[in-house]
Amino acid sequence: MERKLEKIHKERNFSSFSLIVLLCSFSLLLGKAGAQNWITESPSFPLSLGEVTSVILGNTLYVVGQGASNTCKLTLSPRSSSWDCYSAATRPNVGNHHSAVTPGDGTFWLVGGFNGGSEGKLQQFNPATNTWRVVNMGSQYGGSMSAVHVAGTIYFCGGITGNTVSVCGSYKISTNAFGTFPNMPVGVNHAAFATDGARFFVFGGRAGINTVTPGFNHLQMYTIATNTWTSSSQPGSTLAPLPQARGGMGTGLYINGEVYVIGGETPQSTPNAPVNGVYTRVDIYNPLTNSWRRGPDLPQGMHGIYPVYDSASKSIMIVGGGIVAGSSESRLFFSLPLALTSTSCVVIGCSLLPGALCQCDTTCSIANRCCPDWSVCSSSATVATTTATTTTTTTTTTRTTTRTTTSTTSTTTTTTT
């Protein structure tokens, strides 16, 4: 492959765009994981939570959700011996069905929600000061929205404000400025969503009020640079729809050039509904090839989850979530190792377009492997041509980890409107 790339370069028969796409393609092929299986993680999660929201900041996993006001956290490496659900400050507007984004500044934001006054609110948590602040979004935004962060701006769409809406908005963090962009082609709530740094993907979801209904199989895609939407639901669209129509998946994960759409729910009365109306399936979308493949099924059907990616262990993690369609909670804690060797760099967000945005695994130390955190890529920094390797993961049932004691800090709350 390196000889081929050299020949291409010498002959100058490819445009810069073609070369970037080829490099991205090659990297994705090299980065594919080997055999994968979900495992039960430890320590066990102490609370039963549904409609969960999770993020990873540095070496710490944070979880909030329906069923408790606590902000729980777990040090991942070395693994703490237990979860700490008491030292982190409680979110000012304790609700559920929050979306979340991590802008790369050591904080995370909860976007919207239901109950506790969380509707139409952005809530930012700063672990360094153990404080929250609140920014009002407006009454047109509710809960169960799709939300992503790109280059200092939070983009959010859909959700429920009494009924499902298609309205979209944005918030530029540095200037505290709100904006709008075109409505979604199809308004949805409880969808899966992700970004590659250039596009905002929304998968499936459902319509109506906050109740379980049969979901859609739509793939909707907003291109930030052109300010336009396309959807698999539009006549003549070539976008590949979600293989199984459903809602209730929680966030999607863009990892190594693919989006993981996990779990979900449908009414138990739906023809061919899964057990308890919850899906075990994992569908993986490749934007480059506009194609889907199946991933390893969850060990338990789940909905209302919020998968996160841990770059240190190169694993997808899921904490809590519903196990029966509708209102349901659990203490489940699963992970899916992606079987990448420690020398390979997982691309969190590599755009296929020259000059677009992308993001690197924070553990990647190889120069020019990909561009810095959500910065503008140059053609030489989009994806490196160095070789990545994969290994096969052996299936186990429980992960054994080194443990340390979770530290505690003072709890204060700061609210700004």
Side-chain angles (χ1 to χ4, degrees), residues 104-307:
D105 61 356
T107 72
F108 69 82
W109 293 75
L110 300 180
V111 183
F114 298 140
N115 304 319
S118 60
E119 297 87 347
K121 300 290 198 309
L122 292 169
Q123 302 185 77
Q124 181 191 29
F125 180 64
N126 186 339
T129 58
N130 197 26
T131 57
W132 291 86
R133 76 181 182 105
V134 177
V135 178
N136 287 314
M137 303 164 66
S139 59
Q140 68 270 40
Y141 304 111
S144 192
M145 290 187 290
S146 299
V148 298
H149 168 267
V150 177
T153 298
I154 303 172
Y155 297 85
F156 38 88
C157 282
I160 300 173
T161 55
N163 210 321
T164 298
V165 297
S166 59
V167 64
C168 294
S170 63
Y171 174 70
K172 189 169 184 178
I173 298 172
S174 62
T175 60
N176 192 38
F178 284 92
T180 60
F181 59 100
N183 287 359
M184 310 172 71
V186 180
V188 292
N189 67 80
H190 287 83
F193 44 90
T195 183
D196 64 354
R199 294 165 293 190
F200 181 177
F201 300 99
V202 180
F203 303 92
R206 58 190 186 230
I209 61 175
N210 189 22
T211 187
V212 182
T213 59
F216 301 119
N217 69 346
H218 307 328
L219 164 52
Q220 304 185 75
M221 183 179 74
Y222 173 69
T223 302
I224 296 171
T226 61
N227 193 34
T228 57
W229 283 96
T230 55
S231 173
S232 63
S233 64
Q234 295 168 332
S237 173
T238 59
L239 285 177
L242 181 65
Q244 174 62 60
R246 62 197 193 270
M249 294 83 73
T251 188
L253 290 175
Y254 185 81
I255 303 170
N256 222 27
E258 297 179 309
V259 182
Y260 288 69
V261 178
I262 303 171
E265 66 181 335
T266 193
Q268 296 186 51
S269 59
T270 303
N272 301 314
V275 176
N276 294 323
V278 285
Y279 290 95
T280 60
R281 65 183 295 144
V282 176
D283 293 298
I284 304 171
Y285 178 68
N286 186 326
L288 176 61
T289 60
N290 188 34
S291 62
W292 290 88
R293 66 182 179 91
R294 281 292 293 272
D297 283 357
L298 289 162
Q300 161 77 58
M302 303 181 75
H303 76 93
I305 56 178
Y306 216 91

